[in-house]
Amino acid sequence: MKTKHQFLFEWNQKRYAIAYDTIGQGKPVLLLPPFSTVSSRSEMQGIAEGIAHRYQAVTLDWLGFGESDRPAVNYQPELLQQLLQAFVQQTFSEPVAVIAAGHTAGYVLRMAQQQPQACSCIVLVAPTWRGPLPTMGVPKPLAAAVRQLVRFPIVGQALYQANTTKGFLRFMYGRHVYADQLRLTPEFIEQKQQITRQSGARFAPAAFVTGGLDPVSDRQEFITLLRSSPVPVLVILAEQAPPYSKQEMAAMAAIPDIQSLILPGTLGMYEEYAAEVTEATLPFLDAKTSKKVVS
């Protein structure tokens, strides 16, 4: 049975409530949803349920996303890096396996480098490191200006709402998040839009979209992080990923000693093809965590 929890995170002398769930029993596995306008721990629920018969799955909402607090702070990599490391330190009494989707890959790799005793192994699902606007070639000054514009009370809210209409969400999902268009039902899009309608919902997604949450500055920095991981890493590549993302994933998979495989789906494969990702992940977890099976 899934249980809801709350973790209190302190930043700049203020405390924020971070939402997370647990399901199952056994060695802990932390599941991290990627950053996006609809980022939510519910996206990782399929994988969590798939591994819960062997592990305790812990799904987390990042600060500024999902059901966690969404303050109008300056969202930056340092903030979310500290959140991740504080959560792991204070929640787990033993090394934890981590399944990280999308942009969260760089954060987990950096944590493993700085705190190698915190992780037992890492699974990166459709990993990315560059936000949407930088990927489109938008210059950094312009992207930063857009980020600031979204923070304004009236204009910013209007701009954000225009980019989270049901039509726009369906377009983006069909373009690079889900491979099967038939899954994008009105009910599905309605659920996703509800995530974007919470108070303060625009601040963190605006930072992500404009590159403000990029964990590294270029591919080489990411490759260096991945190559120097002190714990085993499995990279799951998305077969239908957009060309640029697919190139980046291929560069990761080409690193010696990095285990990788290709599965159906695009950037949202962790949710759309949760069963396939789970099936591919379990043998890696079993081999790397020295777990005790709980019947």
Side-chain angles (χ1 to χ4, degrees), residues 124-223:
L124 305 180
V125 186
T128 59
W129 61 265
R130 180 185 275 180
L133 290 192
T135 298
M136 293 166 57
V138 175
K140 286 185 178 181
L142 180 55
V146 171
R147 183 159 65 250
Q148 286 303 115
L149 184 62
V150 174
R151 295 182 66 86
F152 286 128
I154 299 176
V155 176
Q157 185 66 30
L159 181 61
Y160 175 76
Q161 296 233 351
N163 282 272
T164 54
T165 63
K166 291 178 182 178
F168 188 78
L169 289 175
R170 194 185 193 291
F171 168 73
M172 296 305 292
Y173 260 87
R175 186 179 182 187
H176 59 242
V177 183
Y178 265 40
D180 184 358
Q181 305 286 308
L182 295 179
R183 297 176 189 252
L184 306 180
T185 63
E187 294 76 19
F188 177 87
I189 297 299
E190 170 69 26
Q191 290 174 358
K192 296 301 180 182
Q193 190 187 49
Q194 286 302 312
I195 297 172
T196 73
R197 294 300 183 248
Q198 298 181 44
S199 177
R202 70 188 188 275
F203 301 114
F208 162 67
V209 169
T210 56
L213 297 184
D214 292 356
V216 297
S217 58
D218 55 39
R219 178 196 288 183
Q220 188 53 52
E221 187 179 353
F222 187 94
I223 294 299

Side-chain angles (χ1 to χ4, degrees), residues 28-47:
V29 179
L30 175 61
L31 294 90
L32 300 173
F35 308 133
S36 72
T37 54
V38 296
S39 177
S40 167
R41 66 191 189 282
S42 63
E43 296 176 270
M44 307 301 285
Q45 188 61 29
I47 300 176

